[in-house]
């Protein structure tokens, strides 16, 4: 097989596995960076590193977990540590959950935006470890063992962290709601 044929087959196989994951990778990147431009750069860096390292990917294993781990490692290596204070736009954010109705009423749009803002504000109060596990499990719908692979932690830790993250999110939402009621 010629080098160009190998490269084309190699790239084609990578494209087939990687391209469908672009929206999910971008969504996590947005949550990690809190900046759409940085998220785009992070996803681009992830794809570049994943393509270069695709030869080391073991066929039959979980590609999604493999590439999410690369994204997370790219993010962590670009920071001295996960930022403790970050800002997030309260405007429509990429990857936000859309309503099932393609044309919601203006009232429904306002309600959904307020709910989204409340969840985003509550997520901002959580530690990055909690946000990561919530996004990977509840938004990206990854299995516990895949999250464990991505985060390099035991599956039991994923379950424990997820339970604590959900409880902390619930407390933050209730506290924010109570604070809004007292105004």
């Amino acid at each position: 097989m010629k080098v160009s044929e190998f490269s084309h087959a190699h790239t084609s196989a990578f494209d087939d596995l990687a391209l469908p994951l672009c929206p999910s990778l971008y969504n996590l990147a947005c949550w990690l960076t809190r900046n759409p431009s940085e998220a785009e750069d992070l996803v681009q860096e992830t794809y570049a590193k994943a393509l270069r390292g695709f030869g080391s990917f073991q066929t039959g294993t979980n590609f999604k977990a493999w590439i999410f781990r690369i994204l997370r490692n790219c993010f962590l290596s670009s920071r001295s540590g996960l930022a403790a204070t970050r800002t997030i736009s309260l405007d429509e954010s990429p990857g936000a959950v859309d309503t099932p109705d393609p044309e919601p009423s203006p009232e429904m749009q306002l309600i959904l935006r307020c709910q989204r803002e409340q969840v985003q504000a509550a997520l901002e109060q959580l530690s990055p470890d909690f946000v990561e596990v919530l996004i990977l499990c509840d938004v990206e719908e990854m299995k516990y063992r895949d999250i464990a692979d991505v985060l390099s932690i035991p599956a039991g830790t994923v379950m424990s962290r997820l339970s604590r993250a959900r409880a902390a999110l619930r407390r933050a939402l209730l506290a924010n709601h109570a604070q809004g009621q007292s105004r």
Side-chain angles (χ1 to χ4, degrees), residues 27 109 136 162:
N27 187 38
Q109 288 177 358
L136 291 173
L162 184 59

Side-chain angles (χ1 to χ4, degrees), residues 24 29 43 59 71-73 77-78 92 104 107 128-129 133 148 167 182:
S24 295
V43 171
T59 306
L71 180 126
R72 182 174 185 267
N73 289 342
S77 67
S78 71
E92 292 273 328
E107 295 83 8
D129 289 341
V133 77
S182 66

Side-chain angles (χ1 to χ4, degrees), residues 16-104:
D16 291 345
L17 292 169
L19 291 180
L21 298 176
C22 190
S24 295
L25 289 167
Y26 179 73
N27 187 38
L28 180 60
C30 280
W31 278 106
L32 293 173
T33 64
R34 300 290 194 242
N35 180 308
S37 179
E38 282 184 53
E40 290 172 0
D41 292 344
L42 181 58
V43 171
Q44 185 174 7
E45 181 183 356
T46 299
Y47 274 112
K49 286 186 177 185
L51 181 58
R52 280 194 306 272
F54 189 58
S56 69
F57 174 71
Q58 297 175 1
T59 306
T61 59
N62 189 329
F63 181 81
K64 185 176 182 178
W66 182 78
I67 199 165
F68 268 81
R69 178 181 238 174
I70 293 171
L71 180 126
R72 182 174 185 267
N73 289 342
C74 287
F75 172 74
L76 292 175
S77 67
S78 71
R79 305 284 194 277
S80 59
L82 293 175
T85 59
R86 296 185 280 196
T87 59
I88 184 167
S89 170
L90 294 179
D91 295 330
E92 292 273 328
S93 63
V97 177
D98 293 330
T99 62
D101 182 2
E103 295 288 332

